[in-house]
Amino acid sequence: MIRGGRSYVTSPPSFSNDAKKLLVCTGNNVSVFSAATGLQITSLEGHTAPVTTLIVVPASSAAQKILCYCWTASLDGTIRHWDFSGPELLKTVDAQVPIYSMVIPCLLSEPQQLDSSKLVAYVSVEDTSLVKEGSKELRGHIRRFNLAKERLPRGDTLKETEEPKSIVISPSGEFFGIRHKCKIHVWGVPSGGGSRNALAKKMTLHHTKVINAFAFHPTERIIAAGDVTGRVLIWRSFGNRKLALASQKKNARSMVDLDNPGVRDGDDAESCTTWHWHSAEVNVLNFSSDGAYLYSGGREGVLVVWQLDTGKKKFLPRIGSPLLYFIWSPEPTLSSVVCADNQIHLLKMPSMEISRTISGIKPPPSLPKMYEGLSSTVAFDRSSGIAALCTENYCVQLYNLLNDRGISEVQVCERNHQPGDEITVVVTAVALSLDGSVMSTTEVKLPEDGIGGLVSLKFWESEPDNKTFTLSTIVYEPHKDAGVSAIAFHPTRSMAVSTSFGGDFKIWVCNSDKSQTEKDSSWICHAVGSYKKKPMTAAAFSGDGTVLAVAAENVITLWNPVKNMLLSVLGVTLTPITKLCFVGKSEFLVAASNFPKPELSVWNTSKLSLSWSYGLRIEAVTSAVDSSTFAVLALVPKTFRKSKSKKNIFRGRDGAILLFNGSDPKPVSIWTVMKAQGGSISFLEGDKSQLRLAFVNGSHEYVVFDPSSDDTHERSAIDYEGLVGEEETGDFGYTSLYGQLPDYDKKRKEDAESLATPFISSERPWETIFSGSTLNFPPLQKLCGEFFESLMEKSNSVVE
């Protein structure tokens, strides 16, 4: 089983002491990457909930740089000590409450004299044991723990807040603090951990706007903070009165009567300076190792370098997405910038050139409500295990699910990133050909004030063994002013179909099949089809490509894609169809409908009849190429998964993957999954000896597993009859279109045959022609002759 797609940006990363490794919090694990290659080396596995804090134990001398020790904290309520060179878990401390942030000051202030029995951590936890459900009591607590114990008591509480806050520590280990609305609370850390009374030393800095980030100077008593409006504030000489040590109090001058420019509410600071360049909130603040420069960043995707003494600045050009963290490495020439689009850029300093990028799966796009549930934003290359995923920046990311690595990106349409810019373009669909060599995308430019709006269909082609796609053909308004509802590729030919809500579908072919000039290849319209002007909502090619199934709202139609000829009408579903999928090369076709009444139905195309159906809301359907196995991703109703008998099975999961074999309505296996809404599934068949199933959830996290193995994935013991409900009954297929056929009375036929009455042609055959079999139609010449003869009058007179 392969898991991947975890977020790299939930917590700040950290460099090893030799700057050769980068440790990144990825879900419940910590992934260790090579700073030179960007490849993952190993991972620290053991936490049962997301890791929130990662602290590398600093080296006290050059000889200790080879040591690889770190501490982690997690929402599972444990603190763990690791040797990440192994990797090996050295110690586990149970805090008994979820930990959102942690600092260990003595690792920074006294690394040479470190005594493990006096190791003290300050943690930000969420304690709901004394909070009544639905109340607004304070859940966040800043506490002090002694890490020498394996099971921690409640600990000393320094402050309580509405929710857990992130703790920031100074590089010297002397101070730590939290931001709370328009304030920064700072504590002084006494030497050796201090007594409980010493922890009362706290000061507060005030501002008029909500503070979004702050940082401590490495050597001086300076705090830099960034607010939600984009301003950067510099407090100098903070805490000279309230946080002064006993040896410093004699030399500390009184500033009560002095004019402290920029300082509010009598704060313990000498001055406060304000800089303003950012147009939106500041997310990133960090000082250089020598304290001469301050780095700031935010939603603009620009890293600003401020000279602390003069306020002069320079910039790292737009990276393309909002910045979240800026981390220094022990090697002064190397640093990292973490972006909101799940990328970590390694920078060469001081030039700030991007030397390498560690890229995870980017988050899915934010779609307007009108497109939610109507977009197909994930496609799969079954042979190579590569997924094409639509992302926020109008891009399609090609990601290798087997190696958990990004391969390339395709910029579907140009975008100049601006903080707070509104969504003007929506990439509504992406599809890949069976061999992964051709990709198709559709995009909609949203109208402004009800004016404008443009639909574009694009075809992209890649070189063999290269997943860097280039634009081949762009078609504006492929279905006039109607939107594209689905795209599907032919399994063996350079052919594709696009369906439209406007009531037609178009078959596209690549002219390189006719012309051998590859460089001049483009896609052209081969045929146009429609059915009773109904909206065309879904389409799929059969396994051999000889039949094209198109959903005309709730009617399934079968076509010859080459001749564009209607072959048959398969049947009618209760609600409009959103997805169609042929089951391998068999005669079965799977149809899914969602609103207003969800339905999963399986049809037999050779008999033009319904095999079975269930009342399930389906997010995705996939089928194996060379077998009769297919799988569906279903959303499980809240009423079902929250019932007392099912709570322990679902455990917060909102969906299920059901595996079927052919026409058998009983699932072979069922797996419960999280974040099923917006998810997708596909079989991966690169290795012919092993069939694997890939599931990508709505947050672009994924798992790849062997559906036939009990060891690789948790198989749920769900009563499928309770999940899918009663099998649907009613009129389907022929009867749904033409009604019930009259009962065939066998006894009546036998009685008629026993009479042995010879067949005598009627003198007026046109009156009985439609009462029998079509095989008994009389010849047209005889029928017409007798018909006209009956209309003529016979004359008995003799003409002389």
Side-chain angles (χ1 to χ4, degrees):
M1 181 174 60
I2 303 172
R3 292 184 181 272
R6 302 293 186 183
S7 174
Y8 293 174
V9 300
T10 54
S11 302
S14 184
F15 283 96
S16 61
N17 290 313
D18 58 6
K20 294 182 179 179
K21 301 182 183 69
L22 182 68
L23 284 72
V24 180
C25 297
T26 52
N28 300 355
N29 306 326
V30 175
S31 299
V32 183
F33 293 90
S34 168
T37 64
L39 300 178
Q40 183 174 337
I41 303 172
T42 185
S43 63
L44 310 181
E45 301 177 1
H47 285 290
T48 58
V51 179
T52 56
T53 302
L54 169 64
I55 303 173
V56 173
V57 178
S60 58
S61 63
Q64 292 186 352
K65 286 189 174 182
I66 60 173
L67 299 180
C68 300
Y69 298 111
C70 70
W71 289 85
T72 58
S74 167
L75 295 180
D76 63 8
T78 64
I79 301 171
R80 300 177 185 241
H81 189 206
W82 306 82
D83 178 359
F84 59 86
S85 62
E88 180 183 0
L89 177 62
L90 304 178
K91 184 178 182 180
T92 300
V93 180
D94 186 6
Q96 306 178 58
V97 285
I99 302 173
Y100 285 79
S101 184
M102 178 180 72
V103 294
I104 308 177
C106 55
L107 294 179
L108 300 171
S109 58
E110 301 174 354
Q112 299 89 350
Q113 304 174 2
L114 189 60
D115 185 356
S116 59
S117 63
K118 297 182 180 180
L119 203 60
V120 175
Y122 296 88
V123 298
S124 174
V125 302
E126 183 182 32
D127 191 350
T128 59
S129 59
L130 301 177
V131 179
K132 296 180 180 179
E133 187 174 355
S135 67
K136 296 183 179 179
E137 296 184 35
L138 304 178
R139 300 169 179 264
H141 297 253
I142 305 297
R143 294 178 181 173
R144 184 186 70 164
F145 286 144
N146 186 344
L147 299 182
K149 302 177 181 179
E150 293 187 357
R151 185 176 177 86
L152 300 177
R154 180 181 175 87
D156 301 320
T157 300
L158 280 67
K159 186 173 178 59
E160 296 181 354
T161 56
E162 294 88 350
E163 56 186 19
K165 301 294 183 181
S166 178
I167 305 177
V168 178
I169 190 168
S170 65
S172 62
E174 296 181 75
F175 311 100
F176 69 91
I178 63 171
R179 56 182 177 85
H180 185 212
K181 298 181 180 178
C182 303
K183 303 175 184 178
I184 298 177
H185 302 288
V186 181
W187 287 266
V189 181
S191 176
S195 63
R196 184 172 182 178
N197 294 332
L199 292 176
K201 287 189 175 182
K202 185 191 77 170
M203 60 160 289
T204 301
L205 299 175
H206 296 80
H207 184 42
T208 57
K209 302 294 182 182
V210 175
I211 295 174
N212 219 42
F214 73 99
F216 291 94
H217 193 278
T219 57
E220 301 180 26
R221 291 196 171 201
I222 298 176
I223 289 180
D227 66 15
V228 293
T229 66
R231 288 182 291 180
V232 176
L233 300 96
I234 309 294
W235 282 280
R236 301 176 187 270
S237 301
F238 71 89
N240 281 340
R241 288 180 287 123
K242 296 182 179 180
L243 300 183
L245 300 177
S247 59
Q248 298 173 330
K249 286 185 177 180
K250 297 180 181 179
N251 300 326
R253 58 173 181 163
S254 176
M255 296 182 294
V256 176
D257 299 328
L258 297 179
D259 182 18
N260 303 326
V263 177
R264 295 176 177 84
D265 300 334
D267 289 347
D268 187 4
E270 185 177 302
S271 64
C272 181
T273 306
T274 301
W275 296 333
H276 200 173
W277 180 88
H278 299 279
S279 60
E281 60 190 32
V282 178
N283 297 326
V284 174
L285 280 174
N286 204 348
F287 287 93
S288 60
S289 57
D290 58 3
Y293 298 95
L294 174 68
Y295 294 80
S296 67
R299 293 184 59 188
E300 306 92 351
V302 178
L303 189 65
V304 184
V305 185
W306 305 85
Q307 192 172 27
L308 196 60
D309 293 337
T310 64
K312 294 182 179 180
K313 53 189 176 295
K314 62 179 181 178
F315 311 95
L316 172 66
R318 283 200 175 98
I319 296 177
S321 62
L323 308 183
L324 295 181
Y325 312 108
F326 180 76
I327 307 299
W328 284 99
S329 77
E331 176 62 39
T333 60
L334 182 64
S335 65
S336 74
V337 173
V338 180
C339 300
D341 61 356
N342 214 19
Q343 289 187 322
I344 301 176
H345 300 292
L346 302 183
L347 307 180
K348 292 182 180 179
M349 305 303 287
S351 62
M352 294 196 299
E353 296 179 2
I354 298 177
S355 61
R356 188 166 300 280
T357 298
I358 300 174
S359 179
I361 286 186
K362 292 188 175 183
S366 300
L367 298 175
K369 288 186 177 181
M370 61 183 297
Y371 290 99
E372 291 180 357
L374 299 177
S375 301
S376 301
T377 57
V378 181
F380 297 89
D381 180 358
R382 296 166 175 254
S383 59
S384 62
I386 293 175
L389 308 106
C390 296
T391 64
E392 282 189 335
N393 297 333
Y394 309 150
C395 292
V396 172
Q397 183 184 23
L398 282 302
Y399 200 88
N400 192 317
L401 303 180
L402 304 180
N403 298 331
D404 197 12
R405 287 192 62 196
I407 297 177
S408 63
E409 288 186 11
V410 177
Q411 189 71 47
V412 177
C413 56
E414 294 299 327
R415 178 200 182 193
N416 185 16
H417 177 80
Q418 293 290 339
D421 56 352
E422 297 181 356
I423 298 176
T424 58
V425 178
V426 178
V427 180
T428 58
V430 59
L432 285 172
S433 60
L434 192 62
D435 60 0
S437 62
V438 182
M439 181 175 69
S440 179
T441 60
T442 60
E443 64 192 67
V444 178
K445 185 176 181 181
L446 302 180
E448 298 180 6
D449 299 327
I451 302 175
L454 179 68
V455 179
S456 301
L457 172 66
K458 295 180 179 178
F459 291 93
W460 311 75
E461 295 184 356
S462 67
E463 298 294 331
D465 302 326
N466 182 6
K467 290 302 178 183
T468 302
F469 285 87
T470 56
L471 184 61
S472 168
T473 306
I474 178 170
V475 183
Y476 295 109
E477 303 289 2
H479 298 273
K480 297 183 179 180
D481 57 349
V484 177
S485 56
I487 314 172
F489 279 95
H490 194 281
T492 58
R493 302 181 59 175
S494 296
M495 176 183 289
V497 60
S498 63
T499 59
S500 165
F501 295 110
D504 67 345
F505 68 89
K506 290 188 177 181
I507 298 176
W508 308 86
V509 295
C510 183
N511 63 4
S512 62
D513 288 348
K514 302 175 182 179
S515 172
Q516 298 299 321
T517 307
E518 288 285 341
K519 295 183 179 179
D520 297 333
S521 64
S522 62
W523 289 74
I524 58 175
C525 182
H526 168 71
V528 181
S530 63
Y531 182 80
K532 296 184 177 180
K533 299 183 179 180
K534 288 178 173 286
M536 299 295 186
T537 55
F541 286 95
S542 61
D544 57 4
T546 58
V547 178
L548 170 64
V550 181
E553 202 166 34
N554 64 330
V555 180
I556 303 175
T557 60
L558 304 179
W559 302 74
N560 183 321
V562 178
K563 299 180 179 180
N564 193 31
M565 181 174 60
L566 179 64
L567 301 176
S568 178
V569 176
L570 183 56
V572 178
T573 61
L574 301 176
T575 53
I577 298 168
T578 57
K579 293 174 178 61
L580 287 174
C581 177
F582 278 92
V583 181
K585 296 180 180 179
S586 69
E587 68 273 20
F588 297 107
L589 175 68
V590 182
S593 307
N594 285 343
F595 299 105
K597 183 179 180 181
E599 180 187 5
L600 170 69
S601 56
V602 176
W603 300 79
N604 189 317
T605 57
S606 62
K607 298 181 180 179
L608 300 181
S609 62
L610 176 73
S611 295
W612 54 268
S613 67
Y614 288 129
L616 283 174
R617 180 182 171 185
I618 303 301
E619 282 288 306
V621 183
T622 185
S623 170
V625 174
D626 297 323
S627 70
S628 59
T629 301
F630 72 95
V632 298
L633 173 62
L635 292 182
V636 180
K638 289 183 180 180
T639 55
F640 178 81
R641 65 176 186 264
K642 289 187 177 181
S643 61
K644 292 183 179 180
S645 60
K646 302 297 186 297
K647 272 188 176 181
N648 293 331
I649 296 177
F650 283 94
R651 299 190 296 275
R653 302 174 183 179
D654 63 345
I657 298 175
L658 292 84
L659 184 69
F660 294 94
N661 189 6
S663 61
D664 188 358
K666 184 176 180 179
V668 177
S669 297
I670 302 177
W671 300 271
T672 56
V673 295
M674 298 181 67
K675 303 177 184 178
Q677 188 166 3
S680 187
I681 56 175
S682 177
F683 284 103
L684 304 181
E685 304 175 69
D687 186 358
K688 297 296 183 182
S689 61
Q690 183 182 16
L691 184 67
R692 288 179 286 191
L693 184 61
F695 163 60
V696 179
N697 68 18
S699 298
H700 284 179
E701 299 169 341
Y702 70 86
V703 59
V704 179
F705 61 97
D706 180 0
S708 62
S709 173
D710 293 325
D711 301 329
T712 56
H713 198 68
E714 180 182 356
R715 203 176 294 242
S716 300
I718 302 177
D719 178 11
Y720 85 96
E721 293 180 353
L723 175 64
V724 302
E726 296 293 332
E727 188 172 346
E728 296 288 337
T729 60
D731 294 338
F732 296 96
Y734 180 90
T735 58
S736 65
L737 294 174
Y738 306 109
Q740 292 286 348
L741 292 173
D743 293 336
Y744 183 70
D745 192 343
K746 185 177 181 181
K747 187 175 182 297
R748 186 177 176 182
K749 180 182 178 183
E750 292 175 351
D751 293 343
E753 291 177 350
S754 65
L755 296 176
T757 304
F759 175 75
I760 303 175
S761 300
S762 171
E763 293 184 358
R764 303 173 67 87
W766 59 88
E767 295 179 352
T768 59
I769 184 174
F770 296 110
S771 62
S773 171
T774 56
L775 300 178
N776 294 329
F777 277 4
L780 184 60
Q781 297 86 343
K782 181 180 179 181
L783 180 66
C784 291
E786 293 181 354
F787 175 72
F788 284 113
E789 185 177 334
S790 68
L791 297 179
M792 300 175 66
E793 295 182 359
K794 277 191 175 182
S795 177
N796 295 325
S797 60
V798 179
V799 179
E800 295 180 356

